[in-house]
């Protein structure tokens, strides 16, 4: 009968699984930690830990080489968004100096099924994405700052993530060598 | 378009990292890890996921029917394969065996790192318990790992 053939759309299930697991994690953090500020920091840190591992997966799957410039970096992060989150953000709002840009997401799968209660208005629910970007770029020797400017959860029309290039990290000299 | 499968694995290992670190802060003086937080995060996830999966489905005939659903459709939706073996004593104890468990398969093939195995199965124990709880079955779920990546989940149904 119908049950035997009731196969699920596994892609959709997987997305919901990630969204719900992340939601449960955030809820646990809100319970564990005293201030929302601490939760934001922890989320960023968790993202950072994920980023330094995701970048290896990304490089292995795409076979991509070093970034030529920041525009190239932005394009590659854009394709990483597509690979991992299944969304294609627009790269917009380049600063005149060319060292700052934004990703504009018109939908954010992490926040599906999510509503923020009044008392958590300071919570940066998607801070994990900022952490992932920072962690991943650090592994390819780019030091960046990353923060959220607009957030769909807070009533904005889009989610906007700002990235600012700080400096290029140099190869460290192995210990004991000049 | 949808999220990548690997993302779930990355997130899963960070859930574990976070919970283990919290325990260290709380300075639990016991030798074993306190995995209740991980289990609870799994529970909330399982509770919500099953609701969304089964909303268009006919009611299950009985407990065994529900377990079969967990072993086949539910397991393949989350863990990309079916449970390899389901056994029961028909008195409320079920044993689900997965010979290539998704969260262990990349860790080891044998007994290396066996002491860390409980961390990687706690989330799933919660998912099973949460899923069954939402289907009206209260139970205890424990896991047993003797040889990675194989894993057995013991489900003990609590009867009122």
């Amino acid at each position: 009968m119908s049950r035997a053939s009731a196969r699920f759309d596994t892609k959709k299930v997987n997305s919901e699984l990630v969204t719900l697991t992340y939601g449960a994690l955030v809820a646990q953090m809100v319970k564990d930690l005293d201030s929302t500020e601490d939760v934001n920091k922890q989320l960023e840190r968790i993202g950072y830990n994920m980023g330094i591992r995701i970048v290896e997966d990304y490089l292995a799957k795409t076979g991509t080489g070093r970034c030529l410039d920041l525009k190239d970096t932005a394009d590659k992060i854009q394709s990483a968004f597509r690979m991992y989150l299944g969304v294609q953000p627009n790269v917009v709002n380049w600063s005149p100096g060319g060292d700052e840009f934004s990703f504009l997401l018109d939908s954010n799968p992490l926040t599906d099924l999510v509503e923020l209660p009044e008392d958590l208005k300071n919570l940066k629910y998607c801070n994990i994405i900022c952490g992932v970007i920072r962690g991943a770029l650090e592994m390819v020797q780019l030091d960046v700052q990353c923060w959220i400017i607009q957030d769909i959860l807070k009533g904005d029309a889009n989610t906007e993530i700002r990235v600012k290039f700080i400096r290029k990290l140099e190869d460290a000299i192995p210990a004991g060598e000049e | 378009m949808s999220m990548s499968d690997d993302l779930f694995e990355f997130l899963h290992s960070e859930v574990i990292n976070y919970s283990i670190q919290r325990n260290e802060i709380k300075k639990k003086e016991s030798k074993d890890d306190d995995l209740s937080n991980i289990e609870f995060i799994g529970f909330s996830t399982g509770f919500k996921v099953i609701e969304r999966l089964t909303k268009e489905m006919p009611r299950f005939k009985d407990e065994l029917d529900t377990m079969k659903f967990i072993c086949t459709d539910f397991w393949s939706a989350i863990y990309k394969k079916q449970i390899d073996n389901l056994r029961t004593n028909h008195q409320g104890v079920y044993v689900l065996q997965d010979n290539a468990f998704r969260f262990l398969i990349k860790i080891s093939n044998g007994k290396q790192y066996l002491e860390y195995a409980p961390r990687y199965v706690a989330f799933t124990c919660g998912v099973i318990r949460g899923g069954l709880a939402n289907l009206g079955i209260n139970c205890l779920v424990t896991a047993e790992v003797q040889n990675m990546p194989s894993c057995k989940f013991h489900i003990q149904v609590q009867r009122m």
Side-chain angles (χ1 to χ4, degrees):
Chain A
M1 230 192 46
S2 63
R3 178 162 310 161
S5 61
R7 290 268 159 244
F8 303 119
D9 177 356
T10 48
K11 286 275 165 204
K12 190 168 156 258
V13 174
N14 184 64
S15 298
E16 286 182 353
L17 198 60
V18 174
T19 308
L20 292 171
T21 307
Y22 183 60
L25 178 64
V26 177
Q28 182 67 41
M29 285 181 170
V30 170
K31 220 186 318 174
D32 284 347
L33 305 170
D34 301 325
S35 76
T36 317
E37 207 38 56
D38 286 350
V39 179
N40 294 342
K41 255 185 236 155
Q42 273 289 338
L43 289 177
E44 212 267 353
R45 231 174 62 88
I46 282 186
Y48 176 82
N49 292 341
M50 282 172 80
I52 58 184
R53 298 176 63 196
I54 285 180
V55 72
E56 288 189 29
D57 188 64
Y58 174 80
L59 292 176
K61 279 183 184 151
T62 57
T64 183
R66 273 187 184 282
C67 301
L68 305 167
D69 53 23
L70 207 58
K71 286 221 161 43
D72 192 22
T73 310
D75 286 345
K76 281 171 181 158
I77 300 176
Q78 191 185 28
S79 80
F81 264 106
R82 197 175 50 232
M83 266 176 73
Y84 292 100
L85 280 184
V87 289
Q88 174 119 9
N90 290 320
V91 182
V92 293
N93 297 341
W94 281 91
S95 68
D99 64 339
E100 264 187 72
F101 58 94
S102 294
F103 292 107
L104 204 62
L105 292 87
D106 48 16
S107 76
N108 183 352
L110 272 188
T111 61
D112 285 349
L113 323 168
V114 177
E115 251 180 61
L116 278 189
E118 250 342 287
D119 57 328
L120 287 177
K121 283 293 178 227
N122 292 326
L123 181 68
K124 294 175 182 153
Y125 190 85
C126 301
N127 227 9
I128 189 169
I129 300 181
C130 299
V132 170
I133 294 177
R134 189 171 69 86
L137 289 185
E138 192 172 309
M139 289 297 114
V140 291
Q141 292 172 314
L142 292 172
D143 189 10
V144 299
Q145 241 175 10
C146 191
W147 66 99
I148 300 170
I149 295 187
Q150 298 184 58
D151 193 338
I152 296 177
L153 277 184
K154 311 229 165 108
D156 299 318
N158 300 294
T159 295
E160 181 177 351
I161 298 167
R162 191 86 178 147
V163 179
K164 181 185 166 72
F165 173 76
I166 308 290
R167 66 194 170 103
K168 223 177 139 209
L169 299 166
E170 299 298 331
D171 275 327
I173 302 162
E177 276 175 51
E178 283 300 308
Chain B
M1 285 202 290
S2 66
M3 290 194 231
S4 112
D5 289 341
D6 300 311
L7 194 62
F8 180 52
E9 286 172 30
F10 287 120
L11 184 61
H12 176 256
S13 48
E14 287 312 316
V15 168
I16 296 169
N17 265 346
Y18 167 76
S19 303
I20 300 290
Q21 274 167 6
R22 281 299 298 170
N23 292 341
E24 281 166 11
I25 293 169
K26 279 190 272 173
K27 289 250 188 291
K28 285 268 168 65
E29 293 294 326
S30 85
K31 240 178 130 193
D32 289 326
D33 296 324
D34 173 11
L35 302 171
S36 55
N37 271 352
I38 304 176
E39 211 260 4
F40 184 70
I41 291 175
F43 179 88
S44 344
T45 307
F47 196 89
K48 290 165 195 157
V49 162
I50 201 99
E51 196 165 83
R52 303 183 64 78
L53 286 182
T54 54
K55 66 181 171 193
E56 308 271 307
M57 290 175 63
R59 181 178 277 273
F60 294 108
K61 284 200 293 283
D62 52 25
E63 207 174 271
L64 187 63
D65 197 30
T66 315
M67 291 299 169
K68 280 185 188 159
F69 166 77
I70 297 283
C71 293
T72 54
D73 293 334
F74 181 69
W75 213 260
S76 33
I78 298 186
Y79 298 100
K80 311 291 162 210
K81 66 188 282 295
Q82 296 192 359
I83 281 284
D84 294 300
N85 191 330
L86 166 66
R87 272 180 300 170
T88 174
N89 66 354
H90 296 287
Q91 281 162 27
V93 176
Y94 298 83
V95 180
L96 281 57
Q97 184 174 341
D98 189 338
N99 293 328
F101 185 52
R102 183 178 175 190
F103 293 137
L104 295 178
I105 206 155
K106 285 179 185 160
I107 296 179
S108 156
N109 191 359
K111 298 204 186 299
Q112 197 187 8
Y113 302 124
L114 203 57
E115 71 266 35
Y116 296 117
R119 296 178 179 185
Y120 292 89
V121 295
F123 177 82
T124 302
C125 288
V127 168
I128 300 174
R129 194 167 68 85
L132 288 173
N134 205 348
L135 295 173
I137 300 176
N138 285 320
C139 54
L140 280 177
V141 181
T142 50
E144 175 192 349
V145 183
Q146 283 173 344
N147 210 357
M148 293 207 222
S150 163
C151 180
K152 275 183 197 165
F153 295 95
H154 296 259
I155 303 176
Q156 237 183 326
V157 178
Q158 315 263 281
R159 302 205 195 278
M160 293 302 159

